[in-house]
Amino acid sequence: MMASNHPSRTVCFAAFLLCILVSSTEAMRLSGTIQSEMGSNSDVYLGSFVFESQGGVVRTKTTSHVAGQRILFFDETEVNWGEILATYDTLACQDLRKISLVITENADDGAEAEGLLVPEGTDAASITVAPTDRPRKWYVMISNCQDKVDIDFDIWLENPGGFWNAQFSVDEQGILQVYTFLTLVYTAVAVVTAKEVYRLKRSSNLHSMVWSFCGVLGLQVIGVWFIFIHGSHYAADGYGYPFLQAIGEVFEWLSNIGMAVMLVLLAKGWAITTAQLQLNKQWTSGAGCLAFGMISLLILERAMRDADTRTVYATGAGLFSILVRVGVGAYFVKCFKEVLYDSRGTAKETFIKIFGAAGCLWFFSLPIIALFTLLGPPHTQARTLVCAGAILHALALAGIGYLIWPRTGAQFIRVVEDDDEGGATPYDEI
């Protein structure tokens, strides 16, 4: 909550920024109840939404308990929202209203006023957003220069485009389509994999590497399903199930960390040149601390994520995770070169080269894409990384699954050292 003309402008400005940082409102459908503790000249930040260049629609349904309340709208331009951030601590309530993009007219007397007037009692209104030269982010606030803010509200911000786009801000459009496709693919793959794993388990030929692969795949399947359920409901009502979205993202991160660990272990020769890796305690402790630290950081970021941040890649934690990915990828390359050197002239050389190329693609493609997105429109950067990350992870799982599965990996993968007495297995080395 914020107040204009308040004795302590610094405190109010800090509170204003805090509202932006920790608001828990979903940005496609802003809803809730606000009862500010301040008296007159109070204003409350609600959230933001990126409208397409074709424009859009804002629909409101409110129950106001005091007079004088208005819903204010601002866009991302420097002379609008930028001016508010730069001058908020000295900006009077009436001056704040003058910056609002929306001007309404009283139907009774024709008087014009800034913002959307919220009359006492229950009211509904609709605003058409005019087309612009490019997509623009709008910010929404509720202001009252006469009294405190005391209101129950539902505000829908919608883009054109029907089910797949209407409820989604421009920086989120396309994600649901990608996850719908991945949900179908992962579900089919999970069924086939479960059937094959059951067969291998019954014949006592289930390699621990396959268990690792199944763990990574299982985490990803759960994560994708949760995100899909949230996204499909979100497309229908503008709110969805935020807690499922959060849980789904956590499962995806666990799957990505599991993939990184599995790739590094394979690059160190696990099941390719040796049946059992001899890892010292320093390496194990370091890898464990790094994995635990990364998932803890990402979970903390998700718990503290504000309403204006759509994806992890729009945060410092997300960018840091990309840098860590590059670092682990460099270590992967180092281990891979050593294994390749030891396997030159053997039947495994081709396998290791293909595996190394696939691993490098997984580790380094996303950081490269992240660099190129900086050259594109700002509202597409985060969604591009989310979609690219999900698709690359799916391709990596498909590639690793194909390489290690008994039908293709039998000539390259070793179950135990000198397994001559145990009979033939799907993983016997040629």
Side-chain angles (χ1 to χ4, degrees):
M1 289 174 204
M2 304 75 66
S4 299
N5 296 333
H6 193 275
S8 178
R9 301 298 300 179
T10 302
V11 173
C12 289
F13 184 56
F16 171 70
L17 293 178
L18 184 61
C19 279
I20 296 178
L21 291 175
V22 303
S23 170
S24 60
T25 309
E26 285 293 309
M28 309 321 139
R29 177 186 175 190
L30 307 172
S31 61
T33 298
I34 297 176
Q35 293 178 316
S36 66
E37 298 178 359
M38 297 179 181
S40 61
N41 303 317
S42 58
D43 30 69
V44 179
Y45 176 79
L46 299 182
S48 68
F49 185 82
V50 182
F51 284 104
E52 293 184 5
S53 58
Q54 299 97 311
V57 176
V58 179
R59 295 185 291 114
T60 67
K61 183 178 180 181
T62 57
T63 300
S64 176
H65 306 290
V66 295
Q69 298 185 108
R70 293 184 183 278
I71 301 176
L72 307 180
F73 301 92
F74 312 91
D75 73 4
E76 62 188 4
T77 58
E78 185 176 347
V79 295
N80 200 266
W81 188 247
E83 181 179 348
I84 294 174
L85 293 178
T87 63
Y88 182 79
D89 56 347
T90 60
L91 200 62
C93 183
Q94 294 293 345
D95 293 332
L96 175 65
R97 289 187 172 184
K98 291 178 182 178
I99 306 175
S100 177
L101 293 172
V102 176
I103 304 296
T104 55
E105 182 179 285
N106 191 306
D108 297 327
D109 57 15
E112 292 186 345
E114 299 85 1
L116 178 62
L117 175 64
V118 182
E120 287 189 82
T122 300
D123 184 65
S126 178
I127 300 172
T128 299
V129 179
T132 55
D133 59 335
R134 58 178 176 81
R136 291 182 183 272
K137 178 179 284 190
W138 277 36
Y139 301 88
V140 185
M141 297 177 67
I142 293 180
S143 172
N144 195 343
C145 298
Q146 303 173 19
D147 202 340
K148 64 181 180 179
V149 173
D150 190 352
I151 188 173
D152 304 317
F153 64 93
D154 268 302
I155 304 174
W156 288 267
L157 302 104
E158 299 179 358
N159 273 311
F163 177 82
W164 296 103
N165 292 326
Q167 301 287 353
F168 295 94
S169 179
V170 168
D171 48 2
E172 289 185 312
Q173 291 178 355
I175 295 178
L176 177 59
Q177 290 92 317
V178 169
Y179 273 85
T180 300
F181 171 74
L182 290 178
T183 300
L184 295 174
V185 172
Y186 274 124
T187 302
V189 171
V191 171
V192 173
T193 301
K195 180 180 178 181
E196 190 70 11
V197 166
Y198 178 73
R199 183 185 69 81
L200 290 173
K201 186 174 177 58
R202 290 193 62 182
S203 61
S204 300
N205 288 322
L206 191 58
H207 193 278
S208 57
M209 184 167 52
V210 176
W211 271 123
S212 301
F213 170 79
C214 290
V216 173
L217 175 63
L219 290 169
Q220 186 69 12
V221 170
I222 295 172
V224 166
W225 261 104
F226 281 170
I227 293 174
F228 166 72
I229 292 172
H230 163 74
S232 58
H233 282 270
Y234 195 94
D237 62 14
Y239 194 77
Y241 301 109
F243 68 96
L244 284 184
Q245 169 81 4
I247 295 173
E249 289 184 18
V250 171
F251 273 95
E252 279 200 312
W253 298 332
L254 288 171
S255 180
N256 274 268
I257 291 174
M259 173 65 81
V261 172
M262 186 169 67
L263 287 174
V264 169
L265 290 178
L266 288 171
K268 290 181 74 67
W270 177 45
I272 298 176
T273 61
T274 180
Q276 293 183 344
L277 286 176
Q278 302 297 323
L279 302 175
N280 58 51
K281 292 183 178 180
Q282 291 83 354
W283 191 95
T284 305
S285 300
C289 289
L290 179 61
F292 179 79
M294 283 305 303
I295 191 61
S296 299
L297 174 65
L298 292 170
I299 290 175
L300 179 63
E301 180 280 324
R302 190 60 182 85
M304 297 295 292
R305 185 181 300 175
D306 62 274
D308 290 342
T309 302
R310 314 294 190 223
T311 72
V312 67
Y313 295 115
T315 69
L319 297 177
F320 179 72
S321 70
I322 292 179
L323 294 177
V324 172
R325 188 181 184 121
V326 173
V328 176
Y331 181 74
F332 167 84
V333 171
K334 173 181 177 297
C335 296
F336 160 72
K337 289 173 64 177
E338 294 175 357
V339 170
L340 180 61
Y341 180 81
D342 294 337
S343 303
R344 283 180 177 175
T346 68
K348 295 181 179 181
E349 184 177 2
T350 301
F351 169 86
I352 294 175
K353 286 180 178 179
I354 297 174
F355 161 72
C360 288
L361 182 67
W362 187 85
F363 276 112
F364 298 115
S365 290
L366 190 63
I368 292 173
I369 292 173
L371 288 176
F372 278 101
T373 58
L374 297 177
L375 304 176
H379 300 311
T380 64
Q381 293 172 3
R383 77 180 184 192
T384 300
L385 288 176
V386 170
C387 294
I391 293 172
L392 287 171
H393 194 61
L395 292 175
L397 281 169
I400 297 300
Y402 176 79
L403 288 175
I404 70 174
W405 214 249
R407 291 185 180 90
T408 52
Q411 56 183 326
F412 304 117
I413 298 173
R414 173 183 299 176
V415 180
V416 295
E417 295 281 1
D418 302 324
D419 188 23
D420 296 328
E421 299 180 359
T425 75
Y427 290 103
D428 278 340
E429 182 183 23
I430 61 172

